[in-house]
Amino acid sequence: MRFFSDNAAPVHPAVFAAMQAADQVDTAYDGDSLSRGLDRAMSDLFGREVAALWVATGTAANSLALAALTPPYGGVICHRDAHIQNDECGAPEFYTHGAKLLLGDGPGAKLTTESAAAVADVIANDVHRVQPHALSITNATEYGCVYTPDEVVALGALARARGWGFHMDGARFANAIVHLGCTPAELTVGVDVLSFGFVKNGGLSAEVLVFFDPALADATKRRRKRAGHLLSKGRYLAAQVHAMLKDDLWLATARAANRAAATLAGAAGERLIHPVQANELFLRMTPAEAASLRGQGFDFYDWAEGEIRLVTHWASPEREVTALAQAIAAL
Amino acid sequence: MRFFSDNAAPVHPAVFAAMQAADQVDTAYDGDSLSRGLDRAMSDLFGREVAALWVATGTAANSLALAALTPPYGGVICHRDAHIQNDECGAPEFYTHGAKLLLGDGPGAKLTTESAAAVADVIANDVHRVQPHALSITNATEYGCVYTPDEVVALGALARARGWGFHMDGARFANAIVHLGCTPAELTVGVDVLSFGFVKNGGLSAEVLVFFDPALADATKRRRKRAGHLLSKGRYLAAQVHAMLKDDLWLATARAANRAAATLAGAAGERLIHPVQANELFLRMTPAEAASLRGQGFDFYDWAEGEIRLVTHWASPEREVTALAQAIAAL
Amino acid sequence: MRFFSDNAAPVHPAVFAAMQAADQVDTAYDGDSLSRGLDRAMSDLFGREVAALWVATGTAANSLALAALTPPYGGVICHRDAHIQNDECGAPEFYTHGAKLLLGDGPGAKLTTESAAAVADVIANDVHRVQPHALSITNATEYGCVYTPDEVVALGALARARGWGFHMDGARFANAIVHLGCTPAELTVGVDVLSFGFVKNGGLSAEVLVFFDPALADATKRRRKRAGHLLSKGRYLAAQVHAMLKDDLWLATARAANRAAATLAGAAGERLIHPVQANELFLRMTPAEAASLRGQGFDFYDWAEGEIRLVTHWASPEREVTALAQAIAAL
Amino acid sequence: MRFFSDNAAPVHPAVFAAMQAADQVDTAYDGDSLSRGLDRAMSDLFGREVAALWVATGTAANSLALAALTPPYGGVICHRDAHIQNDECGAPEFYTHGAKLLLGDGPGAKLTTESAAAVADVIANDVHRVQPHALSITNATEYGCVYTPDEVVALGALARARGWGFHMDGARFANAIVHLGCTPAELTVGVDVLSFGFVKNGGLSAEVLVFFDPALADATKRRRKRAGHLLSKGRYLAAQVHAMLKDDLWLATARAANRAAATLAGAAGERLIHPVQANELFLRMTPAEAASLRGQGFDFYDWAEGEIRLVTHWASPEREVTALAQAIAAL
């Protein structure tokens, strides 16, 4: 019973079906009608004209977004626990050609306007110091916490006031949306580029870069090719996205993942280190307790000392979730 | 009736079936058993211990290979018509951090030991000139021509004598193999890294980097992650490769593509600009003739002035191939 | 008697004197009054408002200029014999983060509007091909030939029409100016950035980047620092430039170099491979003849087979020049 | 009376004299005898065979050193107050092609073996995390504190045990040496590359990269050229270094700077934030007090709130130093 990662989840049957429906000779790269239809589909979803590009991984999406917003001699303000800082082997530095991540603080891996401004305010505006050019937040965060629309608006206003681009890593954007019950448009006010995740949420290999300023997409198309991310059979990626959007499947799968997390959260009680707002849980747990759970067949990551991480996903079997909840409660 | 590109071909049913067979919760990234089994599968195929990494595109494969062989201040000798020079939007320069492609000549986009050496021999060995660090050839070439094992051996010997790494872009390696009737091992003597293509040959989104010096793979694993090419659900890529290798499916699909090309070549006769040894044909053709073919429903790329390109693939319908052959003969 | 390179020349006494005059405690980096006075001095010289930055080498100047004009995924059209292509160990690729040099032709290492356009015209405007973003010419060229103001205007018009930036490598700009007898303004119509050389012409370690669009200089100031080219005692560089400009010393030194070259050219006659318009000469010469000259104490580089290169400079001793002219004539 | 920076100091007369002595036609770049003599001079100084390259700035020296020790996908452990992190506009990221600085702690901007190890110990050894490849310390530090030979030995042993390269930023190496009274060899045990500073200590534009593993220098020669740091008249840089080494001038100038700092330290007493071991002082001071000093003609930088920085140098006039000491004591 695996609670390691939503990355490990299977692919939703509707996604597979859509890929097979796309299985015929078509124009290569992103010249097929499914790929060309992404702009429209995402513009409809976000209620304004956007440009949308598929890529195969969240790391590529994030890094291309940052490269669109930050010159090589610039910096990106992000939380010190951000995925882009800790889990991408320096991909942002690779794609931006050496921009610097400037690290801020905040509980739950959330930046605040104060903490983001504080990062910038100690940087003298001279040529010796790397200047911030972008702000990047993750929603839901690496600790499963969610920025509200108001918080996003405030950070976006800060970014605009300072002349920074604003990127949202939405690897778990769907989980944030269903937690908040708001629209995608409401949660992206002021955002310049969104890494819109599908792989953790039922997809196979398609994420979408959403450019709220469509002009930013042009250079990114070249950067994408140059990074080897323009897959020759792109229609199979676009098909995944269309399948996830159809009938709001992406919300249904996120709801299932969040619901499973909520079940576990209910059992975890005081053990919870962060509020559970998406599909990740961080629990205080002694090594002996963790060993006990593992002895009962539950697998998961140790996080820091005395902490474990549990992740649910759209296909987490209810039986396994219930069993784990009971096992935690019984510790 | 589309003869644009093998990139546009559909996915072989066995590949889809294998992906669906892999559709269950498993370890993320390349920790699953299918991904971990690639080293073994490729070592068996090549008859020596190799390290094998999946990536999603040929561009990524080529660029990672070159980055493994060439420092940022080095150069890569390749044919001036090479895909890495003309069709990857500078991906080799991106991945190598600015290494220079040093361009050589030869008919059919094939380098010879003489032409490769000639590129190097005019470069003074001082710090002002970019020095060659690698040799890269494409087999089959961008013009559908094939290097023989003897030619590869000779180029490999040159590379070794000069201290260069040796890369083979095998986007159409399968087509070369079936043309030659040799083994993969026989066609890669002296090669350090092979970009082993599957996408043009029935796959969906999996190419394989084969490192004949397995030690070279370690840094590449980090470069792959850093480039956003470590897909989180890697098992679906590995499954494609295993499916293609099973019962030599990869040879069967390449044979079908080559056979279709041979049919067209038979009809093209004197129009052929290059010998047809794989699945690409370059024909002399007036604009009026090309228009006539298009009027009959055949689609393809104009190449240079007075030249067209035709590409067949594993699933080119026999009926369409026959019809095109007749139409060409009738021009 | 050394005719290797103007790089090897001594430093003009006025330059040394100016450096010593600057030898007192002052503001570090480029905060001193001499450095801050460069914009004014160059604006006066070029007759329009420019921004001017010192750097220590022509390679740094050229590369910073190209980085200001070309994104990492772009290309720079230049002559295949250009210094930036052959003699800077890939510095343009380093500074631009992997932009590609796109090579054109023309006698005397001079591009023409036709040859520059021809480089671009074969590049399909899609994401697979690196697109030209800048045009770079060298004046005087690597073969000692000079672009006239009309030629520069025409190339600038081409660049503007195509949306390219326009860079002039003026390592020997002074030699071109005195050959033409025109003003610096007349020779830079349409140019966006000039690498204005002083080191070959009497300076010690100061070249100047002249931005005819001053806005381009801001990012370059950061790139310069980031490249380690913001010297902490910048006043000693600025002092060199001011000394060279004072009373048109830079024209006097260039005139001396050109005059010495003309003397040699007069003796070389039919041996000349290119017209001698600056301070470099390329002569047809058998190995035996070259050996004879060397036996008489003259040192110089062999160029291609059967060719030698001679370079004069501001301080080439008249006696040595005369002796070499006689020796050549006597061959 | 300026106490801003040792970067602003004048050039020692012996340095100027040596540059003028070098003022004749010679081989360009680093082919002259002075440049070629650097290996020998530095090998003698350090008592073992080293390779030594001049560069024009400390930023270039540091960045080239890090690029020699760290691949693009690697990391460099340094103090969070290090010059390479805060004052070089991302030069290390530029030269290493995106390696990450991994920040550690310690009083006086000094890392300890514990704090350096702590940075590394939280980094899981997988492809998602940037792995440390080098350790970089500054001696004397950015706060004017000095690592002892024992401390360097301990950090070097840690680096070797972990497989990291070991870099020392010695912009103020001379100040550390004279403070400690040890030899250069004693202070560089276990160090792989030293950025040996001369510019702050009486030079004009020459720092030296000392490679204790001479093999590391070969690639760096190419990186230096590629970065535009191979000055064409290198003999004027080498001459500066030889002049500084002659009769231990570099120690005499550092002694003078340290002595001036000691004078100020004696007056500063309880105001001192860090021990004064080199030529920098950090003092607690109210804005009113700072204004008072400025009113008396003393110039210096505000550091953090309620803190000022004073820097002395080899040529700080004794009269001014004494006056400032009295003024501080009188506050």
Side-chain angles (χ1 to χ4, degrees), chain D residues 140-303:
Chain D
T141 74
E142 291 73 12
Y143 289 141
C145 298
V146 168
Y147 288 91
T148 65
D150 282 354
E151 289 170 335
V152 172
V153 164
L155 286 162
L158 173 68
R160 198 167 46 255
R162 299 289 182 110
W164 308 332
F166 189 20
H167 167 244
M168 183 182 286
D169 175 355
R172 297 187 181 94
F173 184 69
N175 303 281
I177 288 284
V178 300
H179 170 75
L180 294 163
C182 69
T183 66
E186 287 165 349
L187 199 52
T188 51
V189 172
V191 172
D192 293 306
V193 195
L194 170 70
S195 302
F196 191 169
F198 290 93
V199 173
K200 294 177 193 293
N201 195 29
L204 190 154
S205 61
E207 314 279 88
V208 176
L209 267 169
V210 180
F211 290 92
F212 296 99
D213 174 359
L216 281 175
D218 288 341
T220 302
K221 286 179 186 171
R222 298 185 185 278
R223 291 186 195 270
R224 178 176 65 168
K225 171 64 195 174
R226 177 175 178 77
H229 276 288
L230 182 64
L231 276 77
S232 54
K233 297 182 175 176
R235 59 197 182 276
Y236 299 95
L237 274 72
Q240 297 175 44
V241 177
H242 289 294
M244 291 295 297
L245 295 183
K246 185 150 190 285
D247 299 332
D248 289 340
L249 175 60
W250 69 292
L251 296 176
T253 49
R255 243 177 239 118
N258 282 15
R259 198 181 309 123
T263 298
L264 296 177
E270 294 294 303
R271 293 180 181 277
L272 290 175
I273 297 166
H274 302 290
V276 176
Q277 300 173 330
N279 62 325
E280 294 185 295
L281 301 96
F282 295 81
L283 273 62
R284 290 181 201 87
M285 190 162 287
T286 66
E289 293 170 329
S292 162
L293 290 183
R294 288 189 174 111
Q296 299 170 60
F298 302 103
D299 282 326
F300 46 84
Y301 283 116
D302 292 318
W303 201 248

Side-chain angles (χ1 to χ4, degrees), chain B residues 72-73 80 84-90 93-94 97-103 126-131, chain C residues 72-73 80 84-90 93-94 97-103 126-131:
Chain B
Y73 51 84
R80 70 178 67 254
I84 59 173
Q85 164 68 2
N86 293 317
D87 297 296
E88 301 188 346
C89 198
E93 288 87 347
F94 179 46
H97 301 288
K100 218 175 175 68
L101 302 191
L102 307 168
L103 308 180
D126 59 38
V127 301
H128 301 271
R129 306 294 307 267
V130 172
Q131 304 298 316
Chain C
Y73 50 85
R80 71 178 66 254
I84 58 173
Q85 163 69 2
N86 293 318
D87 296 296
E88 300 187 345
C89 198
E93 289 87 347
F94 179 45
H97 301 288
K100 217 174 175 71
L101 302 191
L102 307 168
L103 307 180
D126 60 38
V127 300
H128 302 271
R129 304 294 307 266
V130 172
Q131 304 298 315

Side-chain angles (χ1 to χ4, degrees), chain A residues 233-284:
Chain A
K233 297 182 174 176
R235 59 196 183 276
Y236 299 96
L237 274 71
Q240 297 174 44
V241 177
H242 289 294
M244 292 294 298
L245 295 183
K246 186 150 188 285
D247 300 331
D248 288 341
L249 174 60
W250 69 293
L251 296 176
T253 48
R255 245 177 238 118
N258 282 15
R259 198 180 310 123
T263 298
L264 297 177
E270 293 294 302
R271 293 180 181 277
L272 290 175
I273 297 166
H274 303 291
V276 176
Q277 299 173 330
N279 64 323
E280 293 187 295
L281 302 97
F282 295 81
L283 274 61
R284 289 179 201 90

Side-chain angles (χ1 to χ4, degrees), chain B residues 1-64:
Chain B
M1 291 176 285
R2 299 168 72 90
F3 291 84
F4 282 115
S5 173
D6 37 9
N7 274 333
V11 173
H12 194 280
V15 167
F16 253 125
M19 292 175 73
Q20 283 192 299
D23 190 29
Q24 52 209 357
V25 174
D26 204 332
T27 305
Y29 301 108
D30 60 351
D32 61 283
S33 59
L34 291 170
S35 296
R36 283 184 289 110
L38 274 190
D39 284 354
R40 185 71 266 133
M42 287 291 165
S43 296
D44 289 347
L45 184 67
F46 285 93
R48 48 178 163 151
E49 289 307 302
V50 304
L53 305 184
W54 45 251
V55 290
T57 66
T59 294
N62 289 339
S63 298
L64 286 166

Side-chain angles (χ1 to χ4, degrees), chain B residues 269-300:
Chain B
E270 293 294 303
R271 294 180 180 277
L272 289 175
I273 297 165
H274 302 290
V276 177
Q277 300 172 331
N279 62 325
E280 294 186 294
L281 302 96
F282 295 80
L283 274 61
R284 289 180 201 88
M285 189 162 288
T286 66
E289 292 171 329
S292 161
L293 291 184
R294 288 190 173 110
Q296 300 171 58
F298 302 103
D299 281 327
F300 48 83

